[in-house]
Amino acid sequence: GGGYFKIINRTVPDALKTLGYAPAEIEEMVRYVIGHATLRGAPAINHQSLKAKGFTEAALEALEKAVATAFDIRFVFNKWTLGEAFCRDQLGFTDQELNEPTFDMLASLGFTKAEYEAANTFACGAMTLEGAPYLKDEHLPVFDCANPCGKIGKRFLSVESHIRIMAAAQSFISGAISKTINMPNRSSVQACKDAYMLSWRLGVKANALYRDGSKLSQPLASSVLGDEDAVEDLVEANPAARAPIIAERIVERVIERVVEKVVENERERLPERRKGYTQKAIVGGHKVYLRTGEYETGKLGEIFIDMHKEGAAFRSLMNNFAIAISIGLQYGVPLEEYVEAFTFTRFEPNGIVEGNDAIKMATSILDYIFRELAVSYLGRNDLAHVKPDDLDFDAMGGGAAEGTVKDGRAQRLDVKKIASTGYLRSSNLVLFKNVGNTALAHDHDHEHAHDHGHDHGHVEIERNGAPVSAGVSIERNGAPVSAGVAIAVEAAVTAAESAIVGAAVANAIDDRLARIREARMKGYEGDACGECGNFTLVRNGTCMKCTTCGSTSGCS
């Protein structure tokens, strides 16, 4: 039927009994933890003191029913438990006070904070054994938990204790232990390094560290409840009233931490005359001009972002965003942090990128900008779509060398890479070539045409291993051809073969580039799938997903 209730870990009473405590003492300590669930006999705020404030028996009975399931007594002192008529007529509160989200009835009735805390611990429990009656200090470590318990709890298990108990069991387990090692919010990077080092030394196969407050979905209540002022605000009965208070506290703490880190570094301003570059590109139909400013060492120090075809508000936001990034860079914020934060962000405009040699697709303007900065300043070619080593004929370059044709042997080697040698064959005589005054004949049956390089015109032509003088006729397709007309035949044959080879090369290149463009449009990254082996991996968040078999690289 819904609702909730509080229980204590059932091993706690057994442990107290083993430690030698009497049953009555154990019962009192358990009640200290989970509360007595009543205001009868509570210190300061009890039936007698409430009757003196004007509470009736019916009102006290309503309070008792609510306190039995409450986590804080201030949750029950409100108009929903007592009724608006009673609060207005008997207690003298106005409708404005009762409807105010921050209204504290106990404080308005004249009870102090200390009185409230004492009564709240008696009725609703401390949620920790720390401070329990009869409990000896030397027994407190027995009941330590991974995190501090309750609002007043301070004790928790050390990181080393987590690791050592895992090490005690690791040698009896074939795999790793799935256990989280909890760390307090104040833990440093060095503390994390020490934890990993200790795990390695003790032979623990896995180490899952979790620092309190490191998840955006987790730290709201736990980090705020440590603040005394926040506790008073957060125990309001109306949950809607607590949301803005929590958000305000979190923003304040985040800003404080960022400011503390920033003030440690002084701003390193750029020289008045600085180097940099301007990159023009079109992202999803929108022109984007990215300009950079560098220190003398070549380190990035500022960026400027100019866009075309957008409203004044968007232009202003992008300009101020660039200023914020520049100030951060000058205060020492690593460019890597910005790249990790803003790549793969998705919003309009997005799509195909034109004008950039390395980046061909972007999920947003910010994704494109920080991909470009990562490639140019960090060497992050993994974020580019065209890598520097793509230098073959199928590389998607800038077209600077388009139209240039290689001569001689280099051109023939390129042709052999993509064209079948069948296109280069003729029935008998394939090629005549005039070198100086020398006519050479190449026969595919036996390619033994030798040029002896005599300037006076002496020619030696071999056919099927037998020398043929220049004065003897040569047959082509069964018809005699004199060596004197070899030059004319050579020109015609070479032109025809060049046309065939050129068409074959053009078709092969166009087909290859078309397939490359199609793969880029589909988002293929060029890596092979570990499951099926197909080169159909696409970006899926920060991981990869295969569109052929559906397998992922592990995070989705």
Side-chain angles (χ1 to χ4, degrees), residues 82-201:
L82 300 172
E84 291 188 20
F86 173 80
C87 295
R88 183 174 55 251
D89 300 336
Q90 296 294 328
L91 301 181
F93 297 119
T94 63
D95 291 337
Q96 182 179 359
E97 290 176 323
L98 295 174
N99 294 324
E100 180 65 33
T102 59
F103 176 63
D104 187 346
M105 183 177 291
L106 286 175
S108 300
L109 291 172
F111 295 107
T112 65
K113 180 181 178 181
E115 292 174 334
Y116 146 73
E117 289 178 346
N120 188 61
T121 300
F122 177 87
C124 297
M127 305 303 291
T128 179
L129 276 169
E130 297 179 50
Y134 310 114
L135 184 63
K136 300 176 183 179
D137 291 341
E138 59 266 27
H139 293 159
L140 275 173
V142 176
F143 305 99
D144 286 343
C145 299
N147 293 301
C149 297
K151 292 184 292 185
I152 64 175
K154 303 295 182 184
R155 300 178 58 88
F156 58 90
L157 291 171
S158 66
V159 176
E160 183 176 348
S161 66
H162 286 277
I163 297 175
R164 291 193 176 277
I165 197 170
M166 293 169 65
Q170 183 65 83
S171 59
F172 303 99
I173 301 174
S174 60
I177 300 173
S178 178
K179 185 204 177 307
T180 301
I181 299 173
N182 296 85
M183 306 184 73
N185 181 263
R186 63 179 180 272
S187 297
S188 63
V189 174
Q190 186 60 44
C192 297
K193 292 181 180 179
D194 294 340
Y196 282 116
M197 181 60 69
L198 180 61
S199 297
W200 170 71
R201 287 174 176 168

Side-chain angles (χ1 to χ4, degrees), residues 41 49 59 64 99 105 120 141 147 150 203 264 290 326 336 367-368 392 395 401 403 423 490 501 506 541 552:
S49 62
E64 286 295 317
N99 294 324
M105 183 177 291
N120 188 61
N147 293 301
E264 294 177 359
L290 173 64
S326 301
E336 292 89 342
D367 178 57
Y368 160 72
D392 209 344
Y423 290 104
E490 179 268 340
V501 172
T552 65

Side-chain angles (χ1 to χ4, degrees), residues 1-12:
Y4 48 82
F5 60 93
K6 291 177 289 186
I7 60 173
I8 193 172
N9 191 319
R10 297 317 304 170
T11 61
V12 171

